[in-house]
Each structure stands twice: as structure tokens, then as C-alpha cells.
Amino acid sequence: MNEQDYTERTYAGVLGKIVGVYLGRPVEGWAYADIVERFGRLTHYVNDQLGIPVVTADDDISGTFAFSRAVLDHARTGPLTARQVGETWLNYIVEDRTILWWGGRGRSTEHTAYLNLKNGVPAPGSGSARRNGRTLPVQVGAQIFVDGFAMMSPGDPDRAAAHARAAASVSHDGVAVDAAAFIAAMEALAYIEPDLHALIETGRAQVADPVLQHIIDDVLAWCAPGADWREVRERIEKTYGYSVFDGPCPATTNNAAVLAALLLGGDSFHRAVSIAASAGWDTDSNAGVVGALNGIRLGLGALDAEADLRSPVADRLLVVTADGGECMSDAVQQTRAIAAGRRLLDGLPPAPREARFAFELPGSVQGFTPCLDVGSPYTRVAVANVRPRPGGPAGPDASGLVITCAGVTESVAAAVSTPVFLPRADGGDNFSTIASPTLYPGQRVRLTARLALGTSHAAPTLRPYVLIETDARMEATFGPELLLADEPRELVWEVPEVGANPILRFGVAVTSMGRFDGDVVLERVDWSGAPVRHARSGVLMTSIWDLTPEPLRAWVNSAKNFEADFRYSYSVSHPEGTGLATIGTRDWDDYTFTSTLVFNPHERGGLVVRARGHRRYYAAVFESWQRISLVRRDHDREAILASAPFAYTEDVPYRVTVSCHRDRLTVRIDDAEVLTASDTAENAHSSGGAGFLVTTGTVLADGFEVGSLAGPDR
């Protein structure tokens, strides 16, 4: 398999996963009879009929793309272990808020496993039947999170199954782990084998449980050519339905539903996900698994062959974790992350870094859609890709986003934009959505654009812009103009300060002195590293009844109480153990982070830098009123890099700066250097966000400032 084929099939698998989840999500938890009465068979998204967004937070998506980070986070070229995946859970999950169904110990399989991990029981013990009883460990959650691991092992079903078992056993045992290995083996082989029956036979070689073997045999027999999917669904209900097994959501029932949808859908991507989403049971999980497998097996062409399920999604997805800057994502970026994991497992060097938005995959738009907050309603604008969807006309040998404009003038703009943070109204419904923006004032945006071949000779210009929300309306801040021509031209814009509220969208607007009808190609858009300078200061609270004003939404907190303070900017408080509040993205590498800290009673408190999740970071930690230490936290391991006596006092402000530049870390207090260290260990942290830390107590923080230490060409 060549690299391009692997990448495109992985992209199709990621798209298939999110399309299936979004199709089935609105009816998750509905009785089958209610689905039939309201919708018949779900052939397209029904979100508009129910008043909910298509793209929203979901455990199937967040868990799939967060937990597979275990491969990269542990930099493993050998077999992945359950213990490592369990550590990944603890790093990215914010208790009671992200990824999981928090249904309580003894009821929710994943919640129970998380509490075991938190209390010092490593995986696989955390998910074992010996600890959790016979019912909880055999629910559906194991098979819904393994797609990322499978896509890192193309053509290698044994490696995919081994990694799926490691991941599944964090929370599950028995038949549920077999079901996860069954799915992962099929997905891995689907890269090189399109025959569904061959995939099933390979997958079932991973199954030891006799009940699951019987399910596979029965569903194969029931899904003979010409079988009606509703009749097959009734046979599954009678023989393997929820009433047959214990627990709220048995893996066995849902594995039968997945297998039936695959067989009855045949080589129609649309029919298969439609059946999975319409049959009841765990609709979003089952349709997501079916979509991922068939995306890999059938390729991008199958996603575009029937109903258009891609355009409403526009590649967008949310990965809601403690690594807040990774929440706002898209199918292209997740494809790159999976491909990076595959290269690591195969012992290959990392691929060259792509621009944040390079539009390199067929049909990809990476969240860009027409934007009426800036564009005029009196012009027409559409987005597509230079590399079209399969079956479309051939484009030039370059990637890019095509912005098709009609009726553009000096005062009538065409605009497109992509989200870099969530508006408050898009916070989701069933699953908590916490995130940090991906773009900040002080960051340098680089973009390259041109006119498409054959475009009219009008001289349009392109201007980048960002949007924030102020007083319930969108407010745009524009960058400089770029005069477009046939050859690519580059523009660099340092985003200015735009007020206290976070940036919500980044976009480009096209205008022209004379009427312009034609195509503009946005070849790439990029920013990386920490802002040149980004600061917030002052009291954020406007009312004693509003402890979470808009600027606080840019932070992700595992500290139980992270609130605006009536005297300082932030109050960070945690009743027991360690909690964090962080901001920024994982590509912030060389920078300084400064804040004025005021200590209330606590065990430890301070600043963190290069945080990727809330258990992997560096921290300048004040301890017990008498010492300051510079530490590296790596999951449950903490190394002291430097330490010194330092007496500090309650309610006295201390201006603290932590600098990280390459392998050198420095701590300054009130402009005096107190600690410095060099970290060249194999598990040193190279980049990540910044923020505050507190252990059992409260730390107050008055403002913050981030400043890049990278060169001017970043």
C-alpha cells in the first residue's frame, strides 16, 4: 500500500466515524418504535428537526481520538500496554466532565474504571471482572473507542487487535474485549482487503467467547442476499436483544447490530450507516463503527456516491479533553495524528509538518464554510477543494480551498471562515464541552492564496479576519489586504489584541474594485508556537452572581473551582489532590508565562508550562510556605529538576515567570532568578499550554502574560 492510499483511506475512516456518529446521535436512547414512527429510516441528518447542531461533543468521537494518543504520548515502537492506555485516560479525562458517561460507580462501566484508575488500580485491573463484577465489564464501550488504534496498523490485524485489547481492558473484560479486537482486526485488514466476508473471518479469529461466535454465525445466516433489514433487526432483538443480557448497553447486542448493518448495507456506505443509525440500541456508536470500517474498506468514493453526508459536517469534530487546545479539530488533523502514530509504530521518521490548514486530502475543507457575519447576503459564495471528491473533474497538482465568488465588489464581500473556538450556544447537550481556542492575539498567521486558472482579470483582494462575540453580536477585526494574482502570494498577519473575549472564528474575505466573478484558491493557512505577546489583566467579574464570565471559557480546568475573583483575575481552588487550569495549544513550545500569584491555604501551588493534558507538564511549585521546586510531571511520575528554600507568606502577591526555551527552564520571582534547570531526558516535554496548579487549597492569580521566545520568522 502506498502512502497516499493509506492516508486517503484513513481520512475516509475518520470521516466515516464522525458521519456515522452524527447520523445516529440525535436518536441515541430512543426506542426503536419511536425512531420508526418519527423518521422511518434515517437517510440524512435529522438535527434540524430536533433543534440540535450536527457537530457536537460525543464520547464516541472524543474517546476514539483521545485514547489513541497513547501511542504518541508513550513514544512506543513496541507493543502498547493497558497500563499506558490507562495513564492516557487519567491525563486527558476531566472527572465528571469529559468523554465518558458519568453514570456512577457500579452503573457506568467507564466511570467505574476511571475511579479505579484514579484510586491507584492500574489497567487492566481497573476494568477487570474480578474487581467490577460480571455485568459492567461486558457493556458496549470497548469496541467504540478502538478505531484510531486499528488505523495505525493498516494491513496488520494482529497488531491492531493486540492494541485494541490493551485499550479495551482499561475498562472492560471478557466478551467486550473480544468484540473490540474483532472490530479492530477487520478495520486494519480493510486497508488491503475489500471483501467483507474475508474481513469477518479474519476478525473472528480474535474471538474466544462462544456467545460472540454464535452471534457471528447467526447474523451471517440471517443476512443472506435479499434479506430485509427490519426482519433481521427483529431476529436480533428476540435472540440477542438488551432483554437477553444484563446491563444497560451490552456489547453483544450492539456487535450483532454492527455486523448486520455491514452485511445488509453491502458496498453502499450510505445504506450501511443508515441501517445502523435506524435500528435502535446504541445508534451513534454502532453507526460510527460501521462508518469507520466502511470508510476504510470502500474509500472516499463511497462516501460521496449517494446522499451528501460530508458537506453539513465540513470535516469538523470535537475532541473534548484536558488538552483544551486540541478540542477544535477536523478530520484532516486527526488523519495526520493517526498517520504519525502509525509511523512511530513502524519505526519510521516523522513526516514533515503540514500547515494547520493545507486542504491536502480530496474534498477536504477543514471547517471552512460561507460566513455571513462578514460576507454580504447579496453575493454568492461556495467552498470546494482543488483536489475534488472522487469522480469530480481533475484539478491541478496542488492542494487548496477553492472559494467560488459571484457578484463581489468593493462593498459586497464574499467571506468564508472556520471555527477556532466554540460559541457559548454550541456547548453541546449531553456531553460537557470544554475547550481552549486554537488562535490567540499575538500569533502570526501565514497564508498563501492565488486566483484560479481561467479566472476573470478583475483584481480582487483578500483580507484575513477574526471574529469575537461582544454583547451578543459578532465583531470582526481585519488584517492587511493581499492583492491576488495568478501566482501564489503570501501574507503574514500578527493578530492584534481584540478585547477580553476569546477569538471564535478565523476567516478570509474577498472584495474587488470592479465586479469579480470567479475562483480564489486559498492554498494554506498556518500559525504555530506561542503568541508573540498575549496578556490579560484586571478583575473579570462583572457581577457576584456570574463567576464564569466569557473570558474564563478559554480555560480548561480540572481544578474543581476555577472562577473569576472579586479582587484578582482568577481563583483556582481544589479540595483534595491536584487540579489545573490551562490555556493554549500543544504547539506552544518556547515561551515565557507570567502571573502574579497570591496564596491562600494550600499544600502546593504555582504555574505550569508545556502542558499536554493535566498529568504531563512542567511546573514551578510553591510548597508548604517554605520551598519552590521546578518539576516535570509525566503521568504518575514526578521528577524534581531543581529546588530551593523560599519562604513566602499568605495574601502577599508574588510576580512569577516561568521560561521554557529548548531544554532550558527558568523560574523568576519578582524579577529575580531563583531556579534553572536543563531537561534532556527521553520523556522531556517539548511543547504545550500554560496555566495554574493547586494541590488541596486555593491560589489566586492576577492576570497573565504569554510571550514567545521563538525567532521572528515563526
Side-chain angles (χ1 to χ4, degrees):
M1 181 192 329
N2 64 49
E3 195 68 22
Q4 186 64 27
D5 184 53
Y6 165 72
T7 303
E8 290 189 9
R9 286 187 182 275
T10 301
Y11 176 51
V14 174
L15 280 174
K17 177 75 173 186
I18 63 176
V19 162
V21 169
Y22 295 148
L23 187 65
R25 171 71 190 279
V27 295
E28 182 182 18
W30 286 36
Y32 171 64
D34 293 338
I35 298 173
V36 172
E37 181 180 0
R38 179 73 183 270
F39 301 114
R41 181 163 70 93
L42 277 76
T43 58
H44 213 282
Y45 304 112
V46 296
N47 303 68
D48 57 330
Q49 300 177 51
L50 301 174
I52 56 177
V54 173
V55 178
T56 188
D58 190 273
D59 58 336
D60 297 81
I61 294 173
S62 292
T64 293
F65 299 114
F67 297 156
S68 59
R69 292 177 191 165
V71 173
L72 291 170
D73 287 355
H74 288 276
R76 294 285 295 189
T77 56
L80 190 70
T81 68
R83 186 181 188 116
Q84 290 166 336
V85 183
E87 290 177 342
T88 302
W89 276 47
L90 290 174
N91 184 45
Y92 290 118
I93 291 173
V94 178
E95 187 172 3
D96 293 330
R97 300 183 70 190
T98 67
I99 301 182
L100 308 181
W101 169 45
W102 298 97
R105 180 184 282 279
R107 186 57 174 168
S108 164
T109 303
E110 291 79 13
H111 191 174
T112 302
Y114 173 83
L115 291 173
N116 290 337
L117 292 167
K118 175 188 171 184
N119 292 328
V121 180
S126 54
S128 68
R130 180 179 179 182
R131 179 171 294 274
N132 299 331
R134 64 178 182 84
T135 299
L136 278 185
V138 295
Q139 303 307 299
V140 74
Q143 70 189 42
I144 70 177
F145 294 145
V146 298
D147 311 281
F149 295 103
M151 288 186 267
M152 291 178 184
S153 296
D156 190 344
D158 289 334
R159 187 173 80 181
H163 286 179
R165 287 186 182 280
S169 62
V170 173
S171 50
H172 290 75
D173 204 347
V175 67
V177 176
D178 275 6
F182 174 61
I183 295 295
M186 288 197 294
E187 289 183 350
L189 188 61
Y191 279 92
I192 58 174
E193 174 56 74
D195 183 78
L196 187 56
H197 286 83
L199 301 184
I200 293 169
E201 289 308 308
T202 296
R204 74 184 304 171
Q206 303 291 337
V207 176
D209 186 89
V211 174
L212 186 51
Q213 286 284 3
H214 284 308
I215 288 173
I216 295 169
D217 287 336
D218 284 345
V219 174
L220 282 168
W222 297 338
C223 295
D228 179 83
W229 76 269
R230 295 192 187 279
E231 293 178 2
V232 173
R233 194 254 174 225
E234 289 306 311
R235 298 185 80 165
I236 293 173
E237 177 66 41
K238 290 178 181 178
T239 313
Y240 299 114
Y242 281 3
S243 63
V244 177
F245 301 100
D246 294 323
C249 198
T252 39
T253 305
N254 289 288
N255 203 269
V258 165
L259 190 55
L262 288 166
L263 290 165
L264 295 167
D267 288 346
S268 168
F269 175 91
H270 179 261
R271 178 171 170 78
V273 294
S274 174
I275 291 171
S278 305
W281 302 305
D282 195 355
T283 51
D284 62 334
S285 299
N286 295 341
V289 171
V290 168
L293 194 152
N294 269 348
I296 298 166
R297 182 174 74 93
L298 302 173
L300 286 169
L303 272 77
D304 295 318
E306 300 175 72
D308 181 12
L309 297 174
R310 286 182 67 179
S311 295
V313 172
D315 289 329
R316 294 172 297 157
L317 60 95
L318 306 176
V319 185
V320 186
T321 71
D323 193 359
E326 293 295 293
C327 177
M328 305 300 300
S329 190
D330 61 64
V332 174
Q333 293 185 48
Q334 293 306 317
T335 297
R336 295 173 189 165
I338 290 168
R342 177 245 179 152
R343 294 183 70 86
L344 180 64
L345 291 171
D346 288 350
L348 299 174
R353 180 186 177 275
E354 291 277 8
R356 182 177 295 269
F357 301 106
F359 315 107
E360 70 267 26
L361 291 167
S364 63
V365 297
Q366 295 194 256
F368 278 87
T369 55
C371 180
L372 287 178
D373 290 307
V374 169
S376 169
Y378 304 110
T379 188
R380 297 187 301 280
V381 61
V383 294
N385 192 287
V386 169
R387 294 186 176 182
R389 297 178 177 189
D397 187 22
S399 58
L401 184 77
V402 179
I403 306 168
T404 298
C405 309
V408 169
T409 65
E410 184 179 14
S411 59
V412 180
V416 299
S417 66
T418 190
V420 297
F421 191 51
L422 279 176
R424 188 181 290 269
D426 285 355
D429 48 3
N430 296 336
F431 289 93
S432 172
T433 304
I434 56 176
S436 293
T438 63
L439 178 62
Y440 296 82
Q443 289 192 292
R444 289 195 179 108
V445 176
R446 296 178 181 271
L447 65 83
T448 303
R450 60 178 171 85
L451 294 175
L453 297 177
T455 296
S456 71
H457 292 289
T461 58
L462 179 146
R463 295 182 73 187
Y465 64 88
V466 294
L467 288 172
I468 66 168
E469 187 173 13
T470 304
D471 298 327
R473 64 181 180 85
M474 289 294 190
E475 181 178 305
T477 299
F478 287 89
E481 291 186 344
L482 176 68
L483 182 64
L484 296 168
D486 292 341
E487 73 279 359
R489 292 184 174 179
E490 185 181 67
L491 179 148
V492 180
W493 177 40
E494 184 175 313
V495 180
E497 288 291 346
V498 292
N501 291 349
I503 296 170
L504 298 179
R505 300 185 72 87
F506 169 84
V508 294
V510 178
T511 57
S512 178
M513 292 295 291
R515 177 175 174 131
F516 173 68
D517 300 289
D519 293 344
V520 172
V521 179
L522 185 62
E523 291 193 345
R524 62 187 57 84
V525 180
D526 197 22
W527 59 84
S528 65
V532 174
R533 183 183 181 276
H534 173 51
R536 291 287 179 263
S537 61
V539 176
L540 302 176
M541 182 186 293
T542 58
S543 164
I544 62 171
W545 308 113
D546 182 12
L547 299 181
T548 56
E550 182 69 6
L552 255 65
R553 287 204 311 118
W555 295 76
V556 167
N557 63 291
S558 55
K560 187 173 181 63
N561 299 99
F562 177 64
E563 299 164 346
D565 187 68
F566 54 83
R567 182 173 180 182
Y568 303 105
S569 305
Y570 311 102
S571 173
V572 192
S573 183
H574 200 59
E576 186 177 3
T578 297
L580 274 67
T582 54
I583 195 169
T585 63
R586 60 171 44 202
D587 61 1
W588 287 16
D589 46 13
D590 296 337
Y591 61 92
T592 63
F593 182 63
T594 300
S595 182
T596 298
L597 301 182
V598 178
F599 295 91
N600 285 176
H602 66 287
E603 291 182 7
R604 306 170 86 197
L607 302 183
V608 300
V609 294
R610 290 184 176 172
R612 290 192 175 193
H614 281 191
R615 288 167 65 93
R616 299 183 71 223
Y617 51 79
Y618 292 113
V621 178
F622 292 74
E623 302 178 77
S624 304
W625 308 110
Q626 58 188 359
R627 178 165 289 275
I628 183 167
S629 299
L630 184 58
V631 303
R632 181 208 322 117
R633 175 78 182 267
D634 186 26
H635 299 293
D636 60 355
R637 298 168 290 279
E638 185 173 284
I640 298 175
L641 305 178
S643 186
F646 184 84
Y648 59 104
T649 305
E650 185 174 0
D651 291 327
V652 174
Y654 298 89
R655 184 169 176 80
V656 185
T657 298
V658 182
S659 301
C660 46
H661 184 249
R662 298 178 182 172
D663 62 7
R664 176 66 57 178
L665 296 108
T666 303
V667 180
R668 301 179 69 87
I669 301 176
D670 295 333
D671 294 326
E673 183 176 304
V674 294
L675 292 175
T676 186
S678 178
D679 189 13
T680 58
E682 186 178 0
N683 61 338
H685 305 314
S686 60
S687 60
F692 309 110
L693 171 151
V694 66
T695 300
T696 313
T698 297
V699 174
L700 305 172
D702 200 21
F704 75 89
E705 180 178 330
V706 179
S708 174
L709 295 175
D713 294 332
R714 169 61 64 83

